[in-house]
Amino acid sequence: MAFISTFVISMLFSQLVFVCHCNPTCKLEYPIGEIPVYKEDRYYVHFAQNLEFLEAEFFLWSSYGYGLDVMQPWLTKGGPPPIGAQKANLDPFTLNIIKEFGNEEIGHLRAIDSVMGSITRPLLNLTSENFEQIFDEAFGYKLEPPFDPYRDSLHYMLSSYIIPYIGMNGYVGMNPILKGYASKRSQLVAGLLGTEGQQDAIIRMYLYERANEVVYPYGYTVADFTSRISNLRNQLGMCGIKDEGIIVPCELGAENRTETNVISANYYSLAYSRTPPQILRIVYTTGDEHIPGGFYPNGANGKIARDFLRKI
């Protein structure tokens, strides 16, 4: 009888699953006669794909000790492997977070490829020296010893603070520009934005829990580090405050009532947006969308990024 009961329950469950999959009320509906993807949509999403490649390689290498060339080589489209990427010295808790992030980025690249096609992976500079230069510029002098993103979990998460937030800014700025329903629908840009925002929130919460911890051996707190990086990105982006550390003056906090700033947001507590030129100025670390450097020594790929390089 127990076997029969189990069998009946399993059959009922399978029928329920079948009904759920076939239920027309569960299907997404799109406008009749509308174009799913415009040519211009591809340009913007391909621009964002440069940042997805950066995140994927940084997270995968740091957690697994290898990247897309081992995990999903077809996604690189023959682009060069990153420079200087290595496995980070992460504790088990942080390691699991970064492994998840890395695999999520693989999913993002697959999603973009399935809807928009893909650009070639650009050359990425993930050397310790590149991060060292960014932190030196953020503090206005050369840190001693040089900042090493791969040294330990805290150093790594401070380095991670630099990256996903910029991708989120880009998706926020891009979304109202897109025309095609397949470009905007939850499975692509809205979905990518959602995940990027969650990754950034996890990094910020991780650092907020350690806000008053002094980062050895520099004598500055975690909160100081986030403020310095955010100020640098605002300076390089050149378009006012679109970036905030995890502790802010009350006038920048939510409804001007908080100094805690786990979520970086504007006067209306809406996510900040950035345009492609602003993003390039930051990730190139040159303050100029026409001059490559930083994470992209040869420049980013795709029509939007390459057009800026041609205007030098």
Side-chain angles (χ1 to χ4, degrees):
M1 287 295 294
F3 172 80
I4 294 173
S5 298
T6 304
F7 176 76
V8 170
I9 291 170
S10 65
M11 288 298 293
L12 288 172
F13 180 75
S14 66
Q15 289 300 312
L16 178 62
V17 171
F18 177 77
V19 169
C20 289
H21 280 292
C22 298
N23 190 340
T25 63
C26 298
K27 294 181 180 179
L28 294 173
E29 294 184 4
Y30 304 118
I32 297 173
E34 292 283 332
I35 298 174
V37 177
Y38 284 75
K39 179 173 65 174
E40 293 81 5
D41 293 352
R42 285 192 170 87
Y43 297 156
Y44 282 102
V45 175
H46 284 165
F47 177 81
Q49 194 176 13
N50 285 287
L51 297 169
E52 299 288 358
F53 275 121
L54 175 61
E55 294 170 35
E57 294 293 8
F58 187 50
F59 294 145
L60 291 172
W61 269 96
S62 301
S63 56
Y64 286 99
Y66 47 81
L68 289 173
D69 290 298
V70 172
M71 301 286 278
Q72 293 285 355
W74 67 274
L75 287 171
T76 70
K77 308 303 179 185
I83 304 168
Q86 59 183 278
K87 198 172 191 301
N89 181 30
L90 304 177
D91 61 69
F93 176 80
T94 310
L95 177 64
N96 286 336
I97 293 173
I98 301 307
K99 278 186 174 180
E100 180 179 339
F101 283 5
N103 284 290
E104 287 166 354
E105 296 306 325
I106 291 176
H108 291 180
L109 291 169
R110 288 193 300 105
I112 292 172
D113 186 72
S114 68
V115 177
M116 300 284 187
S118 291
I119 57 171
T120 300
R121 177 182 58 186
L123 181 65
L124 301 168
N125 184 354
L126 294 174
T127 61
S128 296
E129 290 75 15
N130 184 42
F131 284 96
E132 172 194 338
Q133 290 173 10
I134 292 171
F135 279 96
D136 286 351
E137 189 170 353
F139 280 89
Y141 67 93
K142 187 171 181 58
L143 296 178
E144 290 293 344
F147 190 91
D148 181 3
Y150 304 107
R151 169 180 171 154
D152 57 34
S153 295
L154 184 56
H155 280 66
Y156 183 79
M157 292 300 271
L158 284 167
S159 301
S160 296
Y161 180 83
I162 298 172
I163 300 174
Y165 181 74
I166 302 300
M168 185 190 73
N169 292 156
Y171 285 128
V172 174
M174 177 197 313
N175 201 47
I177 299 172
L178 300 177
K179 299 177 182 178
Y181 65 78
S183 307
K184 289 187 174 183
R185 66 191 172 109
S186 61
Q187 282 87 342
L188 197 58
V189 170
L192 293 168
L193 169 58
T195 308
E196 293 292 327
Q198 291 175 76
Q199 288 180 350
D200 182 63
I202 289 169
I203 292 169
R204 293 180 72 91
M205 189 64 204
Y206 183 104
L207 296 174
Y208 177 74
E209 289 180 328
R210 298 158 176 79
N212 296 318
E213 182 177 332
V214 175
V215 182
Y216 180 82
Y218 304 110
Y220 292 95
T221 66
V222 168
D224 292 331
F225 268 81
T226 64
S227 294
R228 298 279 185 146
I229 290 297
S230 288
N231 290 341
L232 175 62
R233 290 191 296 210
N234 286 328
Q235 175 188 333
L236 291 171
M238 299 182 179
C239 293
I241 295 177
K242 298 198 173 186
D243 218 306
E244 301 164 346
I246 57 175
I247 302 291
V248 293
C250 220
E251 57 267 24
L252 290 178
E255 296 301 300
N256 307 131
R257 295 191 184 105
T258 70
E259 293 181 349
T260 62
N261 200 47
V262 180
I263 303 296
S264 179
N266 69 11
Y267 176 77
Y268 297 101
S269 289
L270 302 177
Y272 288 109
S273 68
R274 280 186 165 114
T275 64
Q278 293 166 23
I279 290 170
L280 291 175
R281 293 170 202 155
I282 295 168
V283 296
Y284 287 174
T285 69
T286 61
D288 190 331
E289 62 269 34
H290 306 97
I291 302 176
F295 292 111
Y296 300 88
N298 293 341
N301 284 339
K303 178 174 171 41
I304 292 176
R306 303 317 289 184
D307 279 355
F308 282 116
L309 295 180
R310 295 187 189 101
K311 293 176 183 176
I312 297 176

